[in-house]
Amino acid sequence: MSRLATIEGQSFDVAIIGGGIVGCGVARDAARRGLRVVLFEKQDFGSGTTSASTRIVHGGLRYLETADFRLVRMDLRERETLLHIAPHLVKPLEFAIPFADVGAWQRLKLRVGLAMYDALAFGSSLPRHRAASAEAAYYDARVDLPERLALENVLDAISAGARAFNYVEVTGALKDGAAISGVRVRDRVTGVEATVRSRLTVNAGGPWFERVAGALGGALPGRIRMTKGVHLVCPSMTDRALVLFSQVDRRLMFAIPRAGHTWLGTTDTDYSGDPGEAAATREDVSYIVRSMRGAFPSLSADDVLYTTAGVRALVMQRGSTSSVSRMHKVVDGEVSGVPGLVSIMGGKITGYRAIAEEATDTVCRRIGVDRRSTTAEEPLPGARHSRITNHEPRIADEVGVPPHLYDVYGSRATDVTNLAGARPELARPLSPKYPDIGAQVVLAVREELCVTVADFVRRRTLLGATADQGWDAAPAVAAIMGAELGWTPEQRDREVETYERDIARTLAFRSGAGTGAAGVGHHDR
Ligand SMILES: Cc1cc2nc3c(=O)[nH]c(=O)nc-3n(C[C@H](O)[C@H](O)[C@H](O)COP(=O)(O)OP(=O)(O)OC[C@H]3O[C@@H](n4cnc5c(N)ncnc54)[C@H](O)[C@@H]3O)c2cc1C
């Protein structure tokens, strides 16, 4: 029986379109409030903009310059919440701001900004900033795998009764007069189509927002502004996270240690076209390399191991890309003329839970449900059943598993070790290059809605963050997944080839092939 047959013709309270961090957050919140929820993601959960971010959980020092105090305060409060509900995924990160290339005026602005940042972070458990003559230092947090943060929201939603589908695209709406009363969907793996009825439909399409609105028959042109952001992943050049100012145009940029490498970024250029096609161009790479010359004088494009590229969906505002607010907007279609629809625009990963709460409040109001959100207090699945505290996860003592498993699964890591204990062949590493083992693949397929090799390597584990992006493990992953999912040898080979093409896209800048990717931008200088 096709997986969509289990929902064909059924009625839900809410159908959510888009399984990025925001849509997954709405699914969790709505399901925990007892609503009947269905979530559709046309690729894999967290594979859109969520996977292309700088992976910082922050209020955003930069947004103080544009006087976005409400956004900074909300996100600093959410930073604290995420440190509590997902301590295995969200961890404190100290940033240094070297003053070497910073002029006296900017230094003064930074000192004032850091004092305001501390003030807006009231209630935070992280240390306050320190400033000396050579540098300042302050705390934010990191989320190395926002893809898993999205996934854990989905897993929690499912355990609260939600249905969630990846590789299922929403292609149209059911209508009752002008009102949206459900959605038409297509399974991108099997081609099977289905319709479901829903009292409310939520557009959480991120940068696909306008395309989704168009498919629902209520195009909302001009509501969002898309900007592309690129990172360069290089061999380790710093063991501290650094705030740096571009040598090209003085924009604020980051150099961040992640999984043994240094991430440099990001760019912010206007973009049009399919967000799924965004790629780093030679120009993007050259801009970041030149921007970083102050801190890393010998850096060149030849040092780049690979790139990432993604598209922000900002609530429409004119002006330079960097000055556009990152504040989100939830629009109730009852008010804007599309009854049955709730639209979410903009926002950051950091504020996803609060954004989801606001959107779910709107849904509840419309369907007359009076239940409050519990997502700020209830830990995510990997943070349950353990006494892990915020800043000091007592990894081995706590759950008796190796740190690399704890960092990915939290307390659920015991599910991996139990599988490996029962089948010793699954305790073997997928490649001598990395610590990840076969049991992780089996768990991903059985419990974590993992369908492709890329899902596993890039979004269920940290393998995708290694120098070769987990390529050396791809054949073993495909073999174990194939056995679980009943793939033919040809399907297995195809899966590995698809992942190879995925990797090639991150290297397209080398051949200049990335240049055509619909970027209309110029670097904001
Ligand atoms: C370069 C860059 C750096 C960033 N850095 C940070 C940072 O450090 N910290 C931070 O907090 N934020 C950061 N952000 C912002 C953050 O990444 C985004 O705000 C967030 O990921 C948006 O999540 P989303 O769920 O709205 O969108 P997405 O993650 O893009 O999710 C939307 C989903 O909708 C799906 N979809 C589209 N159409 C359909 C359809 N028809 N049917 C079903 N599904 C569909 C897509 O496949 C996609 O998965 C950064 C963004 C960029 C681009």
Side-chain angles (χ1 to χ4, degrees):
M1 187 169 72
S2 98
R3 55 189 182 140
L4 289 183
T6 61
I7 53 163
E8 166 62 37
Q10 284 195 12
S11 294
F12 293 87
D13 292 318
V14 56
I16 300 154
I17 308 169
I21 189 72
V22 172
C24 296
V26 177
R28 175 184 196 225
D29 196 333
R32 293 189 68 90
R33 294 196 214 190
L35 304 193
R36 285 166 303 153
V37 174
V38 63
L39 168 67
F40 298 110
E41 162 54 50
K42 72 173 174 145
Q43 296 283 335
D44 187 24
F45 303 112
S47 64
T49 306
T50 299
S51 68
S53 68
T54 310
R55 299 159 189 266
I56 313 172
V57 172
H58 63 154
L61 202 49
R62 189 160 79 68
Y63 309 132
L64 288 176
E65 233 176 1
T66 44
D68 245 334
F69 301 121
R70 197 162 65 93
L71 170 71
V72 175
R73 172 60 199 150
M74 176 184 97
D75 283 351
L76 287 173
R77 196 193 61 219
E78 288 303 311
R79 182 185 74 182
E80 188 66 15
T81 301
L82 294 180
L83 284 164
H84 278 95
I85 66 168
H88 55 305
L89 296 174
V90 179
K91 299 178 179 168
L93 176 64
E94 189 182 23
F95 282 88
I97 313 179
F99 284 154
D101 285 323
V102 177
W105 170 235
Q106 189 148 26
R107 220 177 275 199
L108 179 68
K109 274 202 322 188
L110 277 167
R111 284 179 193 273
V112 173
L114 286 165
M116 282 165 70
Y117 207 60
D118 281 342
L120 288 167
F122 63 87
S124 165
S125 58
L126 296 180
R128 297 167 73 83
H129 88 274
R130 294 176 276 113
S133 55
E135 66 168 42
Y138 72 103
Y139 271 88
D140 260 319
R142 67 193 305 154
V143 56
D144 279 352
L145 269 172
E147 299 86 348
R148 281 200 73 92
L149 191 61
L151 179 74
E152 287 212 17
N153 276 270
V154 176
L155 297 180
D156 202 42
I158 292 172
S159 50
R163 303 297 311 275
F165 298 88
N166 47 0
Y167 297 99
V168 172
E169 179 169 10
V170 172
T171 54
L174 308 183
K175 293 274 179 77
D176 262 347
I180 292 177
S181 58
V183 290
R184 264 181 249 291
V185 299
R186 194 174 67 86
D187 186 327
R188 289 167 61 118
V189 181
T190 61
V192 169
E193 301 193 344
T195 55
V196 298
R197 301 194 70 78
S198 57
R199 296 169 76 187
L200 264 302
T201 297
V202 174
N203 180 351
W208 288 267
F209 176 84
E210 288 182 358
R211 286 160 190 255
V212 170
L216 298 177
L220 293 167
R223 291 292 188 99
I224 63 162
R225 179 165 175 183
M226 296 200 288
T227 75
K228 187 176 79 170
V230 165
H231 294 98
L232 311 185
V233 182
C234 300
S236 177
M237 300 186 298
T238 170
D239 49 12
R240 310 166 72 196
L242 303 174
V243 174
L244 301 166
F245 294 90
S246 164
Q247 300 285 298
V248 178
D249 55 13
R250 306 307 298 162
R251 282 180 58 248
L252 190 149
M253 298 179 80
F254 296 109
I256 296 180
R258 177 177 181 243
H261 301 121
T262 297
W263 282 51
L264 304 174
T266 175
T267 61
D268 198 358
T269 53
D270 276 313
Y271 183 84
S272 67
D274 186 342
E277 300 296 315
T281 63
R282 262 188 196 166
E283 195 194 6
D284 296 325
V285 173
S286 156
Y287 166 79
I288 297 178
V289 166
R290 285 180 294 129
S291 289
M292 295 286 169
R293 284 268 159 80
F296 308 112
S298 60
L299 178 69
S300 86
D302 295 339
D303 296 316
V304 178
L305 297 168
Y306 58 93
T307 61
T308 74
V311 178
R312 302 175 187 85
L314 311 174
V315 177
M316 179 53 96
Q317 234 180 307
R318 312 258 166 235
S320 81
T321 47
S322 300
S323 70
V324 178
S325 171
R326 269 51 176 168
M327 193 66 183
H328 69 281
K329 195 166 175 182
V330 174
V331 178
D332 180 351
E334 199 71 47
V335 177
S336 67
V338 196
L341 183 68
V342 172
S343 302
I344 308 175
M345 289 168 261
K348 286 160 58 193
I349 289 175
T350 308
Y352 91 87
R353 195 213 57 80
I355 299 170
E357 179 176 338
E358 185 181 335
T360 312
D361 283 346
T362 306
V363 168
C364 285
R365 232 181 359 259
R366 282 288 153 226
I367 61 177
V369 168
D370 182 19
R371 269 177 233 134
R372 57 174 281 280
S373 175
T374 56
T375 55
E377 297 94 46
E378 269 299 313
L380 282 159
R384 294 201 191 124
H385 316 300
S386 70
R387 290 171 288 110
I388 298 157
T389 59
N390 235 1
H391 311 158
E392 260 193 297
R394 308 228 70 80
I395 300 154
D397 312 353
E398 192 62 49
V399 279
V401 296
H404 76 273
L405 290 182
Y406 174 83
D407 284 345
V408 175
Y409 302 96
S411 55
R412 288 180 65 248
T414 47
D415 294 353
V416 177
T417 48
N418 289 345
L419 265 172
R423 282 174 57 190
E425 78 278 12
L426 294 179
R428 281 202 290 272
L430 294 162
S431 142
K433 279 187 168 181
Y434 336 103
D436 301 74
I437 59 173
Q440 294 175 254
V441 183
V442 174
L443 181 85
V445 172
R446 292 188 187 168
E447 311 278 343
E448 299 188 329
L449 305 147
C450 179
V451 181
T452 71
V453 167
D455 293 348
F456 180 78
V457 175
R458 291 212 185 281
R459 292 175 289 276
R460 302 299 182 280
T461 63
L462 274 165
L463 275 169
T466 58
D468 68 352
Q469 301 182 64
W471 175 242
D472 211 48
V477 173
I480 300 173
M481 280 186 87
E484 283 290 308
L485 293 168
W487 288 346
T488 61
E490 293 73 36
Q491 271 176 300
R492 227 169 24 199
D493 293 347
R494 258 202 317 275
E495 269 296 320
V496 175
E497 282 160 22
T498 305
Y499 188 53
E500 192 173 18
R501 280 198 298 279
D502 193 335
I503 292 178
R505 215 150 62 92
T506 70
L507 302 170
F509 73 93
R510 287 187 186 156
S511 61
T515 47
V520 292
H522 47 280
H523 287 286
D524 210 350
R525 33 183 96 100

